[in-house]
Amino acid sequence: MENKKNLCINCAICDVRNVSEELLNTYGEVRINAASLVTNQAAQALLGRFAVRINCAQTVSLAENIHFSVINGPLTITAKQPATEEKLYMAVNGPVFIEPGSEETLKNYAGMSVNGPVTCPDSVTGLLAAFCINGPISTYPDGAIILKKTVVLDRLFHLRAKQDALYYAASKVIALSPDAAFDKLAEKNVRFVTRTLLVSESLAEAAVPLFDEKADIIILPDGCACVDGDVRLDETLVRRHGGKLYISGDLTIGPDSAAALGQVSFLRVRGGLYVCRSLKDQVLALDAEYEDLYAVGGVLVSDRASTEISAAMLENAEDGLSVANCASVSIAEDITPELLREKLVSISSCASVLCTEAQRPVIEELAREVAAIVCGGEEDEEDDESGQDSEDVYTVRINAASYTL
């Protein structure tokens, strides 16, 4: 009797709620390697009866009429969002901002899982009890005037400010311009609520009394520039902002950053500092401040929903290769452990890494802040019931960001 083919699924999200007995009967063996598995009671019983092998970091049980959606990035919930015909379960890998008057919108969600910070009005905090939030919850006063998440105070802001106004900026207020005119703002009884205030040393004394006592005050030297987001250090960056830098995201210093690095006299990085191995000693001598320091290869693969590392990518990376901030990472099966050790410098801040059993020890050594390392794509060494070797059994492999079984 001809052997049934096997099925191996490698993905970030696998929805198995509609799996059928007929489908499972067509395969000899089914394996699922996923960061998130969406299931229900009936599917769990059926998968258990067929002994489906599952490796996952998170399991979410939902009814069939609930749509599961994933957002890798920020999400803003507003009162103007139209109600959907079906209930929605949202998984958010990033910050969530809830605008005032969004109570009815929140009630339309069947649930929410948030890996990141949540910011909302004081009046809606009670509705968050049903949500799974892996991150801090920040609230702001009802009635506050909502500004952009990051606000730069310049010479025009005090002219437009309203009398007795309370302003809210979810992330930070930047006051590095000598024309910020805090004395004029004080005369209008203007107040600010924000998470962080970045202020020049010469303005600090006048600025601090106008801010909520919970704000994190960061005093920077006069002439320092704030660069928002993730950036790479090069001569263009230094020419535009100068040699005193405050980076609000991640900073990458690659092999081509040597000339620009020599012009930097002050460096503070609120995110990760990714430094190629050849310049690491020069960065340490600068006495820079940062959240985390990562020694990386000359090639950096980052900020992708899913990516596959091939043997050619490693072989062509003269100064090594690193992976960072990717949701799902797949290591090609033909990459030997020896090539991984030689060329893969680091792998960090990723949700899941799919690799073979032979590659796993190397990945575990290099992994930093990786939620799940799962193995797939290899055939079992055991014989099946008919006595045939497993290498004779055809395996259907599916690699995807998301997949519905």
Side-chain angles (χ1 to χ4, degrees), residues 63-83:
E64 289 185 18
N65 63 337
I66 296 176
H67 181 68
F68 184 86
S69 180
V70 176
I71 293 181
N72 293 310
L75 171 68
T76 299
I77 299 175
T78 71
K80 298 180 181 179
Q81 288 178 217

Side-chain angles (χ1 to χ4, degrees), residues 261 264-267 281-288:
L261 185 60
V264 175
S265 60
F266 176 88
L267 180 62
D281 291 341
Q282 189 175 341
V283 170
L284 295 176
L286 184 61
D287 194 27

Side-chain angles (χ1 to χ4, degrees), residues 100 121-122 140-147 165-169 191-193:
D122 292 330
Y140 58 88
D142 290 79
I145 298 174
I146 309 301
L147 301 173
L166 177 64
Y167 289 99
Y168 175 76
R191 295 292 181 269
F192 296 90
V193 174

